Amino acid sequence: METTLRGVGVSHGVAIGEVRHMGTAVLEPPAKQIPAEDAEREQGRARKAVEAVAADLTARGNLAGGEAQAVLEAQAMMAQDPELLVDVERRIAVGSTAERAVYDAFAAYRELLANAGEYLAGRVADLDDVRNRIVARLLGVPMPGVPDSDEPYVLVARDLAPADTALLDPTLVLGFVTEEGGPTSHSAILARALGVPAVVALPGASELAEGTLIAVDGSTGEVFLNPSEEKKAQLEAASAERRAALAASTGPGATADGHTVPLLANIGGPADVAAAVEAGAEGVGLFRTEFLFLDDSKNAPSEEKQITAYRQVLEAFPEGRVVVRVLDAGADKPLDFLTPADEPNPALGVRGLRTLLDHPAVLRTQLTALAKAAEGLPVHLEVMAPMVADRADARAFAEACREAGLRAKFGAMVEIPSAALRARSVLREVEFLSLGTNDLAQYTFAADRQVGAVSRLQDPWQPALLDLVALSAEAAKAEGKSCGVCGEAASDPLLACVLTGLGVTSLSMGAASIPYVRASLAKFTLAQCERAAAAARAADSAEDARAAAQAVLSGE
Ligand code: PEP
Ligand code: MG
């Protein structure tokens, strides 16, 4: 039977495919006793599961090649460690189930490793992954992590963290549905980066049965379970119509009366460049460099590796503007070697620029790599720091850039309300501002961006957020400097007009949103955008702000 569920649409388009769940951490199997006559069968099950997991890890290694292959092969060997197997069989012989025996044997081995010096302690996470795989196979539940599927699927998860998704094969993911998350969560950002439809904050998403056919409409937030042939055809036709209308809009971003608003792309690395160029991005407004650091959570990437990645991006926009954000680690993007493990409130702790000021060598390497990557290229390089709180932060960052000999514009992201409130003071130290509206909303409304239950407060249409945008844009104008938006607010076609009316000077977003925003801006004059912005700011809720702007722009 066809059922319709409703969440928050965060990435346009329609995806139709089968549900595959992101496997979650394996629960502890119950410690129940088995009769002695079952022991042999249980031992056989355990041996088979171990062999299957080892074979799967080896096969994945062969496919991946390079460093990943070495890690996966080491994991395959861990799975087949003879001493571990003896321990598993011994535990089964005295009454454990196969899954419980594996769980307990690995726990004992884990303790040995954890206490055996830094190198071996670093392998604990790999060991846990092997254990989870074997236990999942024995319990018949999905493997932890990205689904093992050769067929395209709709990925369903509670929420997605950048580390979870590093291994996603974009050719297999038709769309995303998550139970948690809001419009600014990483699931939403990743979906836009991949250009796949996505719906977040969908109640009951985790309970959708594996393999159910669903249709996801990322524009309306609707998810149809077991859609009829008629519904599928209707959704596909509407989506094709929207795509055709968009293909007609090309060229630089501008309002109907020619006020230019450069449309830039948010990227996570060289792999996103092609889509940005194809969408007609006029440059990069946010290069989230932390994705380079996620491959190895224990060490920073070498200067050479960074130079190569930065250069690939810079070369793609020969005369364009490329805004690189230095590493934004911590909170929802923790890195083992940088992020304190024991913070009670990581989002309010040492993250973003604070982390880098505590680890100056990491910042220095990154800035030096950027300086070297840009050498001899005509690109307009701009470098900005995340989570700048005040003038002292801005000064410390600008000094680090100067010390590294970086020939670029230095800027500050406005993600903390204090930076917006005192934007003129921050601008004494840097040459531009870039509004990170995702975190700015999180900190303005005290609403964790990863928690679906508070997604109402992460709505970038909230008038209080618009006030902070206006304050920042006015300060930049008074100082003769620029103020862009690189948070997800920029990707909402209607809000993009309001932001333009508030005085922001560029808009940066996932490549897939650029055509939608370009087409929307081109329909209105700057004066109309300004009137829509004033109407939105005069409202008392996000909903009313959106309706007020819509009314102005549709001439009601
Ligand atoms: C933001 O916070 O708006 C932003 C652009 O940074 P990120 O989403 O990477 O935290
Ligand atoms: Mg941010």
Side-chain angles (χ1 to χ4, degrees):
M1 199 186 60
E2 187 177 300
T3 314
T4 309
L5 303 176
R6 202 171 295 272
V8 180
V10 293
S11 182
H12 297 286
V14 169
I16 301 174
E18 287 188 6
V19 167
R20 291 278 175 276
H21 284 274
M22 184 86 179
T24 45
V26 166
L27 298 175
E28 186 175 335
K32 63 173 195 255
Q33 286 283 312
I34 53 161
E37 63 267 28
D38 288 354
E40 209 168 305
R41 198 196 55 200
E42 284 296 284
Q43 286 169 338
R45 276 182 68 225
R47 272 195 303 274
K48 261 178 129 173
V50 161
E51 275 159 26
V53 166
D56 177 56
L57 288 165
T58 307
R60 282 162 176 265
N62 291 340
L63 268 181
E67 274 174 52
Q69 181 166 20
V71 173
L72 290 162
E73 271 173 5
Q75 281 191 298
M77 281 173 71
M78 278 181 187
Q80 291 170 300
D81 184 293
E83 278 180 40
L84 252 174
L85 259 179
V86 168
D87 193 16
V88 168
E89 295 193 342
R90 186 187 58 77
R91 287 170 193 271
I92 295 174
V94 294
S96 269
T97 58
E99 45 272 21
R100 183 70 207 194
V102 168
Y103 191 85
D104 288 340
F106 271 76
Y109 193 41
R110 182 185 206 280
E111 203 156 314
L112 273 180
L113 271 191
N115 297 324
E118 208 176 311
Y119 175 75
L120 287 178
R123 307 269 70 80
V124 161
D126 298 347
L127 183 74
D128 287 347
D129 182 54
V130 173
R131 176 202 63 192
N132 290 347
R133 287 175 176 280
I134 302 173
V135 174
R137 186 168 285 270
L138 286 165
L139 292 173
V141 297
M143 288 287 161
V146 172
D148 293 329
S149 174
D150 299 330
E151 296 295 321
Y153 56 86
V154 177
L155 183 66
V156 179
R158 180 154 287 283
D159 199 2
L160 295 168
D164 295 331
T165 50
L167 287 172
L168 270 186
D169 177 347
T171 59
L172 291 178
V173 182
L174 299 167
F176 290 171
V177 175
T178 64
E179 177 139 358
E180 289 287 340
T184 63
S185 61
H186 282 283
S187 314
I189 295 170
L190 188 81
R192 291 193 198 109
L194 293 176
V196 297
V199 171
V200 301
L202 186 84
S206 315
E207 268 100 63
L208 291 174
E210 187 86 355
T212 310
L213 183 73
I214 61 173
V216 181
D217 188 336
S219 303
T220 62
E222 287 169 315
V223 173
F224 304 92
L225 311 191
N226 304 311
S228 60
E229 286 306 316
E230 195 188 339
K231 173 60 80 186
K232 284 198 268 180
Q234 183 194 333
L235 286 169
E236 272 164 356
S239 163
E241 203 176 299
R242 266 181 254 148
R243 275 201 307 275
L246 290 171
S249 104
T250 50
T255 57
D257 55 336
H259 169 74
T260 56
V261 186
L263 301 179
L264 309 168
N266 289 357
I267 64 166
D272 297 334
V273 163
V277 172
E278 200 189 322
E282 295 164 64
V284 170
L286 169 63
F287 177 0
R288 287 186 165 97
T289 55
E290 52 277 9
F291 286 85
L292 264 175
F293 288 68
L294 288 175
D295 284 353
D296 176 355
S297 67
K298 297 175 191 82
N299 304 291
S302 66
E303 186 180 301
E304 289 67 40
K305 185 171 172 194
Q306 293 192 48
I307 294 174
T308 310
Y310 301 151
R311 199 158 172 105
Q312 270 174 283
V313 173
L314 297 178
E315 280 174 346
F317 295 93
E319 303 286 329
R321 193 170 143 204
V322 176
V323 185
V324 180
R325 173 176 75 187
V326 291
L327 177 65
D328 182 21
D332 50 343
K333 293 171 273 193
L335 287 178
D336 289 354
F337 69 105
L338 293 179
T339 310
D342 50 359
E343 291 181 325
N345 285 309
L348 303 181
V350 181
R351 63 161 296 198
L353 178 64
R354 301 166 186 180
T355 306
L356 293 173
L357 296 179
D358 277 0
H359 295 87
V362 175
L363 178 58
R364 203 174 318 117
T365 305
Q366 195 172 18
L367 295 173
T368 312
L370 274 167
K372 291 187 181 165
E375 247 164 46
L377 296 179
V379 66
H380 301 282
L381 176 63
E382 303 187 8
V383 181
M384 65 184 182
M387 297 291 293
V388 170
D390 60 7
R391 182 171 176 177
D393 271 354
R395 186 187 308 127
F397 177 62
E399 271 167 13
C401 291
R402 280 190 288 272
E403 271 166 28
L406 197 57
R407 299 234 306 270
K409 277 192 180 179
F410 317 139
M413 286 188 74
V414 176
E415 304 188 277
I416 305 178
S418 58
L421 292 167
R422 304 302 305 263
R424 280 194 85 162
S425 139
V426 170
L427 281 164
R428 301 268 137 72
E429 306 292 343
V430 291
E431 290 159 275
F432 69 94
L433 298 179
S434 181
L435 285 146
T437 47
N438 310 336
D439 276 313
L440 191 57
Q442 157 160 274
Y443 294 118
T444 303
F445 296 98
D448 191 324
R449 61 194 274 190
Q450 299 189 93
V451 175
V454 291
S455 63
R456 174 182 88 77
L457 295 167
Q458 293 137 2
D459 189 327
W461 281 93
Q462 287 280 358
L465 188 72
L466 301 181
D467 283 350
L468 292 175
V469 171
L471 267 182
S472 311
E474 282 158 15
K477 190 170 180 199
E479 295 289 328
K481 295 179 176 176
S482 63
C483 174
V485 172
C486 66
E488 297 307 301
S491 64
D492 173 335
L494 187 62
L495 187 50
C497 298
V498 166
L499 297 172
T500 301
L502 292 174
V504 312
T505 53
S506 63
L507 296 166
S508 190
M509 65 208 84
S513 301
I514 290 179
Y516 293 87
V517 169
R518 184 192 290 118
S520 175
L521 268 183
K523 283 198 273 187
F524 309 106
T525 62
L526 177 59
Q528 282 176 306
C529 293
E530 284 170 348
R531 280 201 295 281
R537 278 184 80 188
D540 284 322
S541 70
E543 243 175 32
D544 290 352
R546 191 184 284 111
Q550 181 78 66
V552 169
L553 294 177
S554 56
E556 280 169 19

Short mmCIF file of all heavy atoms in Angstrom, two decimals, residues 393-439:
data_model
loop_
_atom_site.label_atom_id
_atom_site.label_comp_id
_atom_site.label_asym_id
_atom_site.label_seq_id
_atom_site.Cartn_x
_atom_site.Cartn_y
_atom_site.Cartn_z
N ASP A 393 40.79 36.74 17.80
CA ASP A 393 40.85 35.53 16.96
C ASP A 393 41.23 35.93 15.53
O ASP A 393 42.09 35.29 14.90
CB ASP A 393 39.45 34.87 16.88
CG ASP A 393 39.21 33.86 18.00
OD1 ASP A 393 40.15 33.59 18.75
OD2 ASP A 393 38.07 33.37 18.08
N ALA A 394 40.59 36.97 15.02
CA ALA A 394 40.84 37.39 13.64
C ALA A 394 42.30 37.82 13.48
O ALA A 394 42.96 37.49 12.50
CB ALA A 394 39.91 38.53 13.26
N ARG A 395 42.82 38.52 14.50
CA ARG A 395 44.21 38.98 14.43
C ARG A 395 45.17 37.79 14.45
O ARG A 395 46.11 37.72 13.65
CB ARG A 395 44.51 39.90 15.61
CG ARG A 395 45.90 40.54 15.52
CD ARG A 395 46.27 41.33 16.77
NE ARG A 395 45.24 42.28 17.12
CZ ARG A 395 44.68 42.35 18.34
NH1 ARG A 395 45.05 41.55 19.30
NH2 ARG A 395 43.73 43.24 18.59
N ALA A 396 44.90 36.84 15.34
CA ALA A 396 45.79 35.67 15.44
C ALA A 396 45.83 34.93 14.10
O ALA A 396 46.90 34.48 13.64
CB ALA A 396 45.31 34.74 16.54
N PHE A 397 44.68 34.81 13.45
CA PHE A 397 44.65 34.10 12.17
C PHE A 397 45.40 34.89 11.10
O PHE A 397 46.22 34.33 10.36
CB PHE A 397 43.20 33.87 11.75
CG PHE A 397 43.08 33.21 10.40
CD1 PHE A 397 43.59 31.94 10.19
CD2 PHE A 397 42.50 33.88 9.32
CE1 PHE A 397 43.51 31.33 8.94
CE2 PHE A 397 42.41 33.28 8.08
CZ PHE A 397 42.92 32.00 7.88
N ALA A 398 45.15 36.21 11.04
CA ALA A 398 45.82 37.03 10.02
C ALA A 398 47.34 36.98 10.22
O ALA A 398 48.11 36.89 9.25
CB ALA A 398 45.30 38.47 10.09
N GLU A 399 47.77 36.99 11.48
CA GLU A 399 49.22 36.93 11.74
C GLU A 399 49.81 35.60 11.27
O GLU A 399 50.87 35.56 10.65
CB GLU A 399 49.49 37.10 13.24
CG GLU A 399 49.67 38.57 13.61
CD GLU A 399 49.62 38.81 15.13
OE1 GLU A 399 49.70 37.83 15.90
OE2 GLU A 399 49.49 39.99 15.50
N ALA A 400 49.09 34.52 11.53
CA ALA A 400 49.58 33.20 11.08
C ALA A 400 49.69 33.17 9.56
O ALA A 400 50.66 32.62 9.00
CB ALA A 400 48.64 32.10 11.57
N CYS A 401 48.72 33.78 8.87
CA CYS A 401 48.76 33.81 7.39
C CYS A 401 49.97 34.61 6.92
O CYS A 401 50.69 34.19 6.00
CB CYS A 401 47.50 34.45 6.83
SG CYS A 401 46.03 33.46 7.05
N ARG A 402 50.19 35.76 7.56
CA ARG A 402 51.34 36.60 7.14
C ARG A 402 52.65 35.85 7.39
O ARG A 402 53.54 35.83 6.55
CB ARG A 402 51.33 37.93 7.88
CG ARG A 402 50.35 38.94 7.26
CD ARG A 402 50.52 40.33 7.85
NE ARG A 402 50.01 40.41 9.21
CZ ARG A 402 48.74 40.70 9.52
NH1 ARG A 402 47.88 40.99 8.57
NH2 ARG A 402 48.37 40.75 10.76
N GLU A 403 52.75 35.21 8.56
CA GLU A 403 53.99 34.48 8.90
C GLU A 403 54.28 33.37 7.89
O GLU A 403 55.43 33.06 7.61
CB GLU A 403 53.88 33.87 10.29
CG GLU A 403 54.35 34.83 11.37
CD GLU A 403 53.92 34.35 12.76
OE1 GLU A 403 53.77 33.12 12.95
OE2 GLU A 403 53.74 35.22 13.63
N ALA A 404 53.22 32.78 7.35
CA ALA A 404 53.43 31.67 6.38
C ALA A 404 53.74 32.22 4.99
O ALA A 404 53.93 31.45 4.05
CB ALA A 404 52.19 30.79 6.33
N GLY A 405 53.78 33.55 4.86
CA GLY A 405 54.12 34.16 3.56
C GLY A 405 53.02 33.98 2.53
O GLY A 405 53.28 33.93 1.32
N LEU A 406 51.79 33.89 3.01
CA LEU A 406 50.67 33.63 2.10
C LEU A 406 50.26 34.91 1.39
O LEU A 406 49.96 35.91 2.04
CB LEU A 406 49.51 33.11 2.95
CG LEU A 406 48.38 32.39 2.27
CD1 LEU A 406 48.88 31.21 1.47
CD2 LEU A 406 47.38 31.90 3.31
N ARG A 407 50.27 34.83 0.04
CA ARG A 407 49.82 36.02 -0.70
C ARG A 407 48.35 35.78 -1.09
O ARG A 407 48.06 35.23 -2.13
CB ARG A 407 50.69 36.22 -1.94
CG ARG A 407 52.16 36.44 -1.58
CD ARG A 407 52.73 37.71 -2.18
NE ARG A 407 52.51 37.75 -3.63
CZ ARG A 407 53.36 37.26 -4.52
NH1 ARG A 407 54.47 36.67 -4.13
NH2 ARG A 407 53.12 37.36 -5.81
N ALA A 408 47.47 36.17 -0.19
CA ALA A 408 46.04 35.91 -0.39
C ALA A 408 45.29 36.92 0.47
O ALA A 408 45.87 37.60 1.30
CB ALA A 408 45.70 34.50 0.08
N LYS A 409 43.96 36.99 0.24
CA LYS A 409 43.14 37.78 1.16
C LYS A 409 42.83 36.91 2.36
O LYS A 409 42.55 35.71 2.21
CB LYS A 409 41.82 38.14 0.47
CG LYS A 409 41.89 39.33 -0.44
CD LYS A 409 40.46 39.72 -0.79
CE LYS A 409 40.43 40.93 -1.69
NZ LYS A 409 39.06 41.28 -2.05
N PHE A 410 42.84 37.48 3.55
CA PHE A 410 42.52 36.71 4.75
C PHE A 410 41.12 37.10 5.23
O PHE A 410 40.81 38.30 5.27
CB PHE A 410 43.49 36.99 5.90
CG PHE A 410 44.93 37.06 5.49
CD1 PHE A 410 45.76 38.02 6.04
CD2 PHE A 410 45.46 36.17 4.56
CE1 PHE A 410 47.09 38.10 5.66
CE2 PHE A 410 46.77 36.24 4.18
CZ PHE A 410 47.60 37.22 4.73
N GLY A 411 40.33 36.14 5.59
CA GLY A 411 38.97 36.46 6.02
C GLY A 411 38.55 35.70 7.25
O GLY A 411 39.24 34.79 7.73
N ALA A 412 37.39 36.07 7.78
CA ALA A 412 36.83 35.41 8.96
C ALA A 412 35.44 34.92 8.65
O ALA A 412 34.64 35.62 8.03
CB ALA A 412 36.77 36.40 10.12
N MET A 413 35.15 33.70 9.11
CA MET A 413 33.77 33.23 9.00
C MET A 413 32.98 33.79 10.17
O MET A 413 33.49 33.88 11.28
CB MET A 413 33.72 31.70 9.03
CG MET A 413 34.20 31.08 7.75
SD MET A 413 33.91 29.31 7.72
CE MET A 413 32.13 29.25 7.44
N VAL A 414 31.76 34.17 9.87
CA VAL A 414 30.88 34.64 10.95
C VAL A 414 29.94 33.48 11.26
O VAL A 414 29.01 33.20 10.49
CB VAL A 414 30.10 35.89 10.50
CG1 VAL A 414 29.12 36.31 11.59
CG2 VAL A 414 31.06 37.02 10.15
N GLU A 415 30.26 32.78 12.34
CA GLU A 415 29.47 31.60 12.73
C GLU A 415 29.03 31.71 14.18
O GLU A 415 28.25 30.89 14.66
CB GLU A 415 30.30 30.32 12.57
CG GLU A 415 30.85 30.14 11.17
CD GLU A 415 31.51 28.80 10.99
OE1 GLU A 415 32.70 28.66 11.36
OE2 GLU A 415 30.86 27.89 10.49
N ILE A 416 29.61 32.69 14.86
CA ILE A 416 29.30 32.87 16.28
C ILE A 416 28.65 34.25 16.39
O ILE A 416 29.16 35.22 15.80
CB ILE A 416 30.62 32.83 17.11
CG1 ILE A 416 31.38 31.53 16.83
CG2 ILE A 416 30.32 32.99 18.59
CD1 ILE A 416 32.71 31.43 17.56
N PRO A 417 27.53 34.37 17.08
CA PRO A 417 26.84 35.66 17.12
C PRO A 417 27.75 36.83 17.52
O PRO A 417 27.60 37.93 16.99
CB PRO A 417 25.73 35.43 18.15
CG PRO A 417 25.44 33.96 18.04
CD PRO A 417 26.75 33.30 17.75
N SER A 418 28.73 36.59 18.40
CA SER A 418 29.62 37.70 18.82
C SER A 418 30.34 38.32 17.62
O SER A 418 30.56 39.53 17.58
CB SER A 418 30.64 37.21 19.85
OG SER A 418 31.40 36.16 19.29
N ALA A 419 30.69 37.49 16.65
CA ALA A 419 31.42 38.01 15.48
C ALA A 419 30.50 38.88 14.62
O ALA A 419 30.94 39.86 14.01
CB ALA A 419 31.99 36.87 14.65
N ALA A 420 29.21 38.53 14.57
CA ALA A 420 28.27 39.35 13.79
C ALA A 420 28.00 40.66 14.53
O ALA A 420 27.97 41.74 13.93
CB ALA A 420 26.96 38.58 13.59
N LEU A 421 27.83 40.55 15.85
CA LEU A 421 27.52 41.75 16.63
C LEU A 421 28.67 42.76 16.58
O LEU A 421 28.45 43.96 16.62
CB LEU A 421 27.23 41.36 18.09
CG LEU A 421 25.94 40.55 18.29
CD1 LEU A 421 25.88 39.93 19.67
CD2 LEU A 421 24.72 41.45 18.07
N ARG A 422 29.90 42.26 16.51
CA ARG A 422 31.08 43.14 16.48
C ARG A 422 31.84 42.97 15.16
O ARG A 422 33.06 42.94 15.13
CB ARG A 422 32.00 42.83 17.67
CG ARG A 422 31.33 42.93 19.05
CD ARG A 422 30.73 44.30 19.29
NE ARG A 422 31.70 45.36 19.13
CZ ARG A 422 32.39 45.94 20.13
NH1 ARG A 422 32.16 45.58 21.37
NH2 ARG A 422 33.28 46.89 19.89
N ALA A 423 31.08 42.90 14.07
CA ALA A 423 31.69 42.62 12.77
C ALA A 423 32.70 43.70 12.37
O ALA A 423 33.74 43.40 11.77
CB ALA A 423 30.60 42.49 11.71
N ARG A 424 32.41 44.95 12.71
CA ARG A 424 33.35 46.02 12.30
C ARG A 424 34.69 45.83 12.99
O ARG A 424 35.75 46.08 12.39
CB ARG A 424 32.77 47.40 12.62
CG ARG A 424 31.76 47.80 11.56
CD ARG A 424 31.40 49.23 11.62
NE ARG A 424 32.34 50.07 10.88
CZ ARG A 424 32.05 51.30 10.50
NH1 ARG A 424 30.87 51.82 10.77
NH2 ARG A 424 32.94 52.02 9.84
N SER A 425 34.65 45.41 14.24
CA SER A 425 35.90 45.22 14.96
C SER A 425 36.69 44.04 14.36
O SER A 425 37.91 44.10 14.17
CB SER A 425 35.55 45.06 16.44
OG SER A 425 36.26 44.10 17.07
N VAL A 426 35.98 42.97 13.98
CA VAL A 426 36.65 41.83 13.34
C VAL A 426 37.27 42.28 12.01
O VAL A 426 38.39 41.90 11.66
CB VAL A 426 35.63 40.67 13.11
CG1 VAL A 426 36.20 39.59 12.23
CG2 VAL A 426 35.17 40.10 14.45
N LEU A 427 36.55 43.14 11.31
CA LEU A 427 37.03 43.59 9.99
C LEU A 427 38.25 44.51 10.06
O LEU A 427 38.85 44.82 9.04
CB LEU A 427 35.89 44.28 9.23
CG LEU A 427 34.89 43.30 8.59
CD1 LEU A 427 33.61 44.01 8.19
CD2 LEU A 427 35.51 42.61 7.37
N ARG A 428 38.62 44.94 11.25
CA ARG A 428 39.88 45.71 11.38
C ARG A 428 41.07 44.79 11.07
O ARG A 428 42.15 45.25 10.72
CB ARG A 428 40.07 46.26 12.80
CG ARG A 428 38.98 47.17 13.29
CD ARG A 428 39.29 48.64 13.01
NE ARG A 428 38.10 49.32 12.52
CZ ARG A 428 37.03 49.63 13.26
NH1 ARG A 428 37.02 49.37 14.54
NH2 ARG A 428 35.99 50.22 12.72
N GLU A 429 40.88 43.48 11.24
CA GLU A 429 42.00 42.54 11.10
C GLU A 429 41.99 41.77 9.78
O GLU A 429 43.00 41.24 9.37
CB GLU A 429 41.98 41.52 12.25
CG GLU A 429 41.95 42.14 13.63
CD GLU A 429 43.25 42.86 13.99
OE1 GLU A 429 44.28 42.63 13.33
OE2 GLU A 429 43.22 43.67 14.94
N VAL A 430 40.80 41.64 9.18
CA VAL A 430 40.71 40.79 7.97
C VAL A 430 40.02 41.54 6.84
O VAL A 430 39.41 42.59 7.05
CB VAL A 430 39.94 39.47 8.25
CG1 VAL A 430 40.73 38.56 9.16
CG2 VAL A 430 38.56 39.75 8.83
N GLU A 431 40.11 40.96 5.64
CA GLU A 431 39.63 41.68 4.46
C GLU A 431 38.23 41.28 4.00
O GLU A 431 37.65 41.92 3.15
CB GLU A 431 40.62 41.47 3.31
CG GLU A 431 41.92 42.19 3.59
CD GLU A 431 43.07 41.63 2.78
OE1 GLU A 431 43.67 40.64 3.23
OE2 GLU A 431 43.34 42.17 1.69
N PHE A 432 37.73 40.18 4.53
CA PHE A 432 36.35 39.83 4.14
C PHE A 432 35.69 38.97 5.22
O PHE A 432 36.37 38.40 6.07
CB PHE A 432 36.33 39.10 2.78
CG PHE A 432 36.93 37.72 2.81
CD1 PHE A 432 36.14 36.59 3.01
CD2 PHE A 432 38.30 37.53 2.62
CE1 PHE A 432 36.69 35.32 3.03
CE2 PHE A 432 38.86 36.26 2.63
CZ PHE A 432 38.05 35.15 2.83
N LEU A 433 34.37 38.92 5.11
CA LEU A 433 33.59 38.06 6.01
C LEU A 433 32.85 37.04 5.17
O LEU A 433 32.50 37.30 4.01
CB LEU A 433 32.54 38.87 6.78
CG LEU A 433 33.02 39.97 7.72
CD1 LEU A 433 31.82 40.67 8.36
CD2 LEU A 433 33.94 39.41 8.80
N SER A 434 32.63 35.86 5.75
CA SER A 434 31.80 34.86 5.08
C SER A 434 30.88 34.27 6.15
O SER A 434 31.35 33.76 7.18
CB SER A 434 32.69 33.77 4.48
OG SER A 434 31.88 32.83 3.82
N LEU A 435 29.59 34.40 5.92
CA LEU A 435 28.62 33.97 6.93
C LEU A 435 28.38 32.46 6.85
O LEU A 435 27.88 31.97 5.83
CB LEU A 435 27.31 34.70 6.72
CG LEU A 435 27.33 36.17 7.18
CD1 LEU A 435 26.45 37.03 6.27
CD2 LEU A 435 26.85 36.26 8.62
N GLY A 436 28.75 31.77 7.91
CA GLY A 436 28.47 30.33 8.00
C GLY A 436 27.13 30.22 8.73
O GLY A 436 27.09 30.07 9.95
N THR A 437 26.06 30.30 7.97
CA THR A 437 24.74 30.38 8.61
C THR A 437 24.33 29.10 9.32
O THR A 437 23.44 29.12 10.15
CB THR A 437 23.67 30.77 7.57
OG1 THR A 437 23.85 29.93 6.42
CG2 THR A 437 23.78 32.22 7.17
N ASN A 438 25.00 27.98 8.99
CA ASN A 438 24.64 26.72 9.66
C ASN A 438 25.00 26.81 11.15
O ASN A 438 24.19 26.58 12.03
CB ASN A 438 25.38 25.53 9.05
CG ASN A 438 25.25 25.49 7.55
OD1 ASN A 438 24.32 26.04 7.01
ND2 ASN A 438 26.20 24.85 6.88
N ASP A 439 26.26 27.15 11.39
CA ASP A 439 26.67 27.27 12.79
C ASP A 439 26.10 28.53 13.41
O ASP A 439 25.80 28.55 14.60
CB ASP A 439 28.21 27.24 12.90
CG ASP A 439 28.71 25.81 12.91
OD1 ASP A 439 28.14 24.99 13.66
OD2 ASP A 439 29.63 25.50 12.14
#
